[in-house]
Each structure stands twice: as structure tokens, then as C-alpha cells.
Amino acid sequence: MASQNPGGSTNVSRELSRFFVRFALIEGAVFAAVILAMTFDVISMDAMVPILLVVALIGGAVLFWKIRSIQSARQRGQLRSGAPGQGRHPSSGEAAEVSYSDRSEIDSMGDPDPMAKFRDPNT
């Protein structure tokens, strides 16, 4: 079960997942219709290849447009990427601005323990 975070990336992820599922269902139905049309001799084998290529190109263009629009929205700041230092603090609701220059406990590489993100946080 996904919890809602302050940045709203869970809603964006859910919306994107729904888009991909709908897209796959529609694309699959179109491809199935083209193959059935070829099976029942509605279209010839020579016409099927260009039709399949056109359907694939249109599907690729739709996917490219959707991903590009999400990227441009994130660049404009409308969507939060969930990166550290962005969004609001979960408990106080204040802006979580992180400055890495004033953290003396971090070594010169930027992280006191590079393996910390792979360990169990509950131990």
C-alpha cells in the first residue's frame, strides 16, 4: 500500500501507471484488430506491414509526448521529483531546504557511510 508523500509523487506515479495500462490495452487492441483483419483477408499481407509500422510509430510518438510533457512539467517545477531537499518536511510542514555545505559530519565524498542506503533502516 503506497502512502501519500508531501511532494505528491505518489499521485504522479499512479497517474502514469494508469496511462501506461490504458496505452497498452489500446495498442494491443489495435494490433489484434490489424492481425485479425489480415487473417480474415480484409487487408493483404503487403498492406499489413506498413499498417503495423504506422501503428507502432503513432504509439511511439504518443509515449514520447507523454514522457516529454512529464519532464517539462518537472523542469517548470509543477511536479516534485522527490529529490532530497525538495518538498515539505513530513512532520512540521516547513520547506525542507538542505544545504550540504554546512554539514560537518559528512566526509569529502559527500556521505559519511556510502552503504547506509542499502542497510535496513530498522536496525
Side-chain angles (χ1 to χ4, degrees), residues 1-120:
M1 211 157 94
S3 62
Q4 177 63 33
N5 63 3
S9 65
T10 302
N11 287 338
V12 173
S13 299
R14 196 173 298 150
E15 178 183 334
L16 191 59
S17 295
R18 285 186 201 141
F19 168 77
F20 284 138
V21 168
R22 287 184 206 134
F23 176 81
L25 290 173
I26 292 169
E27 192 81 3
V30 170
F31 278 128
V34 169
I35 291 178
L36 283 175
M38 196 250 347
T39 303
F40 293 120
D41 292 328
V42 175
I43 58 174
S44 67
M45 182 69 99
D46 295 334
M48 186 184 80
V49 173
I51 290 172
L52 287 175
L53 286 175
V54 167
V55 169
L57 287 174
I58 291 172
V62 168
L63 283 177
F64 177 78
W65 168 79
K66 182 67 173 180
I67 291 171
R68 186 71 179 144
S69 67
I70 289 172
Q71 285 178 344
S72 64
R74 280 189 179 154
Q75 286 176 352
R76 287 191 310 266
Q78 292 175 351
L79 302 175
R80 297 279 181 185
S81 64
Q86 294 183 353
R88 303 243 173 236
H89 191 274
S91 62
S92 66
E94 297 176 1
E97 296 296 325
V98 176
S99 173
Y100 293 105
S101 63
D102 63 352
R103 296 176 66 187
S104 60
E105 72 271 3
I106 296 178
D107 65 2
S108 63
M109 294 301 290
D111 195 359
D113 185 9
M115 294 301 294
K117 64 182 177 181
F118 298 109
R119 292 196 184 96
D120 184 12

